[in-house]
């Protein structure tokens, strides 16, 4: 009986130990499955983030190319602005000269009118 009792006790302990071990393994497995699910969600999030960054990189590369093109045009545009400024200044000077000439002609015309009126007055006074 001691042998059979110790055998059944040993079997009970093995069974309890196996049961505890199995429960521990199941608990560990569930914990690992939770970690895997969390990591998979993290992977999906990071892949989305990577895709968004890729799109932003493409957009920024395009903007960069546009800016480089514009920078290449700066010397040509600066030269055009310089030429336009020179032409503007020349035209402004010519306009000033023409305005001054027109003012002189107006004054000459006023003088001529005054002389004409004076001549008419003189002629009228001689006739009377």
């Amino acid at each position: 009986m001691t042998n059979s009792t110790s055998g059944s006790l040993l079997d009970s302990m093995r069974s309890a130990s196996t049961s505890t071990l199995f429960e521990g393994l199941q608990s560990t497995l569930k914990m690992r499955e939770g970690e895997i699910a969390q990591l998979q969600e993290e992977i999906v999030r990071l892949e989305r983030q990577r895709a968004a960054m890729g799109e932003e990189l493409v957009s920024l590369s395009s903007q960069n190319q546009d800016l480089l093109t514009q920078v290449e045009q700066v010397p040509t545009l600066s030269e055009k602005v310089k030429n336009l400024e020179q032409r503007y200044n020349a035209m402004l000077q010519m306009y000033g000269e023409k305005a001054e000439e027109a003012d002189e002609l107006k004054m000459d015309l006023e003088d001529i009118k005054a002389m004409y009126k004076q001549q008419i007055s003189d002629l009228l006074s001689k006739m009377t």
Side-chain angles (χ1 to χ4, degrees):
M1 185 153 168
T2 57
N3 219 2
S4 73
T5 306
S6 66
S8 69
L9 182 60
L10 188 57
D11 287 339
S12 289
M13 287 177 55
R14 281 187 192 159
S15 173
S17 173
T18 304
S19 172
T20 304
L21 179 64
F22 183 71
E23 286 174 3
L25 289 174
Q26 276 185 324
S27 174
T28 303
L29 180 62
K30 284 184 181 183
M31 188 173 66
R32 297 289 185 218
E33 285 174 345
E35 289 174 3
I36 288 171
Q38 235 179 2
L39 290 172
Q40 285 174 336
E41 289 174 8
E42 181 74 9
I43 288 170
V44 168
R45 186 185 66 77
L46 290 173
E47 285 176 345
R48 284 186 195 139
Q49 187 177 8
R50 185 178 86 191
M53 288 180 159
E55 290 173 9
E56 186 176 357
L57 179 64
V58 168
S59 173
L60 290 173
S61 294
S62 176
Q63 287 178 0
N64 186 42
Q65 188 60 40
D66 291 345
L67 290 173
L68 288 174
T69 301
Q70 290 175 4
V71 165
E72 289 172 0
Q73 294 174 353
V74 168
T76 304
L77 294 174
S78 293
E79 187 64 30
K80 286 182 180 180
V81 167
K82 182 180 173 184
N83 290 338
L84 285 172
E85 284 176 346
Q86 289 173 348
R87 288 176 53 200
Y88 173 77
N89 288 332
M91 292 183 86
L92 191 59
Q93 184 177 354
M94 285 190 282
Y95 174 76
E97 291 171 0
K98 293 297 177 185
E100 187 177 322
E101 186 180 330
D103 287 341
E104 288 174 5
L105 289 173
K106 283 181 186 177
M107 289 189 305
D108 288 347
L109 184 60
E110 292 297 320
D111 289 344
I112 291 171
K113 283 181 183 179
M115 287 187 329
Y116 180 69
K117 285 180 183 178
Q118 184 61 40
Q119 284 178 353
I120 290 176
S121 279
D122 287 346
L123 284 174
L124 286 175
S125 65
K126 282 182 184 179
M127 294 173 107
T128 56

